[in-house]
């Protein structure tokens, strides 16, 4: 199965989803952007919170959960992510 990049957009002015879409198009990849509006965040927040293994103060889990849900909706059972890779090499200064 061909990969599908799925960036998450919060609709902010500093959003990078347009650049991700252009790059995916140039590389001939399937692409869709997951838009997380304030209403969607509010309606799905309790479900996301209940699915956490442990409390986290890092809000990136919200985007990761949205990507995992969209991936599952596409029928994909395994998702590999580079999130957290920096910790393998000692994290940030």
């Amino acid at each position: 199965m061909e990969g599908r990049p799925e960036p998450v957009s919060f609709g902010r002015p500093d959003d990078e989803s347009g650049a991700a879409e252009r790059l995916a198009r140039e590389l001939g990849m399937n692409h869709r952007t997951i838009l997380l509006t304030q209403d969607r965040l509010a309606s799905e927040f309790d479900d996301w919170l209940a699915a956490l293994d442990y409390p986290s103060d890092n809000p990136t889990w919200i985007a990761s959960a949205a990507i995992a849900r969209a991936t599952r909706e596409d029928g994909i059972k395994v998702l590999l992510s580079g999130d957290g890779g920096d910790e393998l090499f000692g994290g940030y200064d």
Side-chain angles (χ1 to χ4, degrees):
M1 177 174 283
E2 187 172 307
R4 176 195 289 249
E6 298 189 20
V8 174
S9 171
F10 293 94
R12 295 171 36 110
D14 58 349
D15 188 285
E16 297 175 344
S17 62
E21 183 177 357
R22 286 188 299 277
L23 179 61
R25 189 174 40 248
E26 288 176 19
L27 295 175
M29 300 175 77
N30 291 327
H31 175 86
R32 77 169 160 163
T33 299
I34 302 165
L35 179 61
L36 291 180
T37 63
Q38 187 172 356
D39 290 341
R40 182 173 174 191
L41 286 168
S43 70
E44 296 180 9
F45 188 79
D46 288 340
D47 293 337
W48 291 333
L49 195 58
L52 283 176
D53 291 337
Y54 56 88
S56 174
D57 64 344
N58 186 342
T60 60
W61 64 267
I62 296 171
S64 295
I67 292 169
R69 177 175 286 173
T71 302
R72 184 177 63 235
E73 290 169 356
D74 285 348
I76 298 169
K77 304 242 185 224
V78 176
L79 177 65
L80 302 177
S81 168
D83 191 33
D86 55 314
E87 282 80 5
L88 179 65
F89 299 104
Y92 297 103
D93 291 338

